[in-house]
Amino acid sequence: MTDTDTGTGRHDDSAEAVGRLYDAFGEQCAERGTDADDDTDAGNFGFGDQLHFGYWESPQEELGLAEASLRLTDMVIERLAAGPGSRVLDLGCGIGGPALRLHARTGAAVEGVTLSRDQVDEARRAAGIAGADHAVRFRVADARRTPFEDASFDAVVALESIMHVRDRSEVVAEAARVLRPGGRLVLTDFFERGPILPEQRPALRMLLEGSMMSLSRAGDYPDLLRAAGMTFEEIRDISRHSTRRTFLEMARVQQRAAAESGGAADWPDPCAEMAAVDGFGYLLLTARRVDA
Ligand SMILES: C[S@@+](CC[C@H](N)C(=O)[O-])C[C@H]1O[C@@H](n2cnc3c(N)ncnc32)[C@H](O)[C@@H]1O
């Protein structure tokens, strides 16, 4: 498999490009609006305010994408071991759903960063509505070089954001820098789980290029963490609970949107084909900053 097949290391991961991608995604969501009568298709292409893949206990489980995404957020929150008095950094915070959930469930204060100006505006609005803007703050900043001091956070989360950064070691190193000794990093990432069949490669390439991301190799993480002064707590392949069903749910929303708009293409693409790509994996990783 070559770099071009998986998009590894070839996409534009500049702050400007990724910021524009998510500004554009927000605009599309706003244009589509929210169908309040149908909670399986509510705004944001079915994701709700958690802009990441879902987690289902079994393929048969009757749970919509928004609820399944919230469940994955809760699994991440459990692993952060945060509580009242904790300070948590959310690298790639989206429109603030996970940070607000984290604060509501644990009492932790949260700083969220994203490259999208529009997402910051939306996340701040959501924090105000939730009455949490004293404890949950958002700003535009790059996860590779945040403006925060060394060892100033008890935990760091990167929920489905690191796949946009070509050199993942830069994000892990930044997380390690801002974490206090013993503090946890919890992240999710897309990885190359197995062979991608030749006929599946065009769909994968379209997804990776269109979304400006690459697949990691799960086997790279031990060295990457060690180099940053971190140790493993857990790495889980959650693909069977997540990827196929998420793509199917997204394809359903896309198809409905296309039908409603007279066949216009929607973003992101091409979900229906990706549902069959077993080699596209999803991992949940917990690591700890080693004691000084
Ligand atoms: C798929 S969304 C996930 C958002 C959020 N974590 C959630 O689960 O709702 C990816 C997010 O990562 C952010 N992101 C990607 N690369 C980034 C970087 N280098 N620095 C900061 N944020 C980044 C994007 O702006 C976007 O908010």
Side-chain angles (χ1 to χ4, degrees):
M1 179 141 312
T2 69
D3 279 0
T4 324
D5 290 325
T6 60
T8 311
R10 295 267 173 138
H11 64 288
D12 182 356
D13 69 344
S14 66
E16 295 71 25
V18 176
R20 270 198 307 274
L21 176 80
Y22 280 97
D23 284 348
F25 177 66
E27 277 163 28
Q28 277 193 289
C29 292
E31 275 166 26
R32 269 178 53 65
T34 298
D35 182 351
D37 296 331
D38 181 359
D39 62 6
T40 62
D41 192 6
N44 295 331
F45 294 83
F47 286 101
D49 64 354
Q50 316 285 317
L51 301 184
H52 54 257
F53 278 38
Y55 186 99
W56 288 264
E57 295 296 349
S58 73
Q60 294 76 31
E61 190 182 15
E62 286 188 24
L63 197 67
L65 178 54
E67 292 82 5
S69 301
L70 204 49
R71 179 186 279 158
L72 183 58
T73 302
D74 288 345
M75 291 169 64
V76 165
I77 290 172
E78 275 163 32
R79 285 161 172 77
L80 288 170
S86 300
R87 186 167 183 248
V88 181
L89 174 59
D90 183 355
L91 295 174
C93 62
I95 54 173
L100 289 167
R101 178 82 169 181
L102 170 60
H103 171 67
R105 294 206 56 183
T106 67
V110 189
E111 296 279 353
V113 302
T114 167
L115 294 174
S116 158
R117 176 77 248 170
D118 292 353
Q119 287 191 329
V120 166
D121 292 343
E122 193 166 345
R124 285 181 178 164
R125 245 190 329 271
I129 290 167
D133 43 359
H134 61 289
V136 186
R137 295 190 302 196
F138 301 98
R139 69 177 81 189
V140 174
D142 195 320
R144 293 165 283 202
R145 38 188 171 275
T146 67
F148 304 107
E149 288 183 12
D150 292 359
S152 56
F153 288 95
D154 300 291
V156 175
V157 57
L159 218 180
E160 214 174 293
S161 52
I162 200 167
M163 73 284 175
H164 288 296
V165 176
R166 215 156 31 192
D167 181 356
R168 287 162 166 81
S169 71
E170 292 183 78
V171 175
V172 173
E174 182 63 0
R177 183 186 72 75
V178 300
L179 270 176
R180 64 161 173 76
R184 284 192 175 167
L185 165 66
V186 181
L187 65 81
T188 64
D189 193 8
F190 298 132
F191 76 105
E192 209 176 312
R193 182 170 180 253
I196 311 284
L197 306 175
E199 63 270 26
Q200 298 174 333
R201 289 181 191 164
L204 177 65
R205 202 176 304 132
M206 196 190 296
L207 175 81
L208 295 175
E209 287 176 7
S211 307
M212 294 177 195
M213 57 191 196
S214 64
L215 295 183
S216 64
R217 293 185 178 82
D220 289 347
Y221 267 109
D223 282 348
L224 214 144
L225 290 167
R226 207 172 303 118
M230 304 197 72
T231 56
F232 257 120
E233 300 261 291
E234 180 197 31
I235 185 161
R236 269 187 70 186
D237 176 354
I238 58 170
S239 315
R240 287 196 313 138
H241 296 275
S242 181
T243 48
R244 179 177 160 73
R245 182 73 180 272
T246 299
F247 282 126
L248 288 176
E249 296 281 336
M250 287 165 73
R252 204 164 51 81
V253 172
Q254 268 185 307
Q255 281 154 10
R256 185 182 306 185
E260 283 167 5
S261 65
D266 251 321
W267 188 100
D269 233 7
C271 299
E273 293 94 308
M274 284 305 300
V277 183
D278 285 340
F280 184 93
Y282 197 36
L283 63 81
L284 170 61
L285 179 147
T286 308
R288 196 169 49 80
R289 177 86 172 92
V290 293
D291 297 337

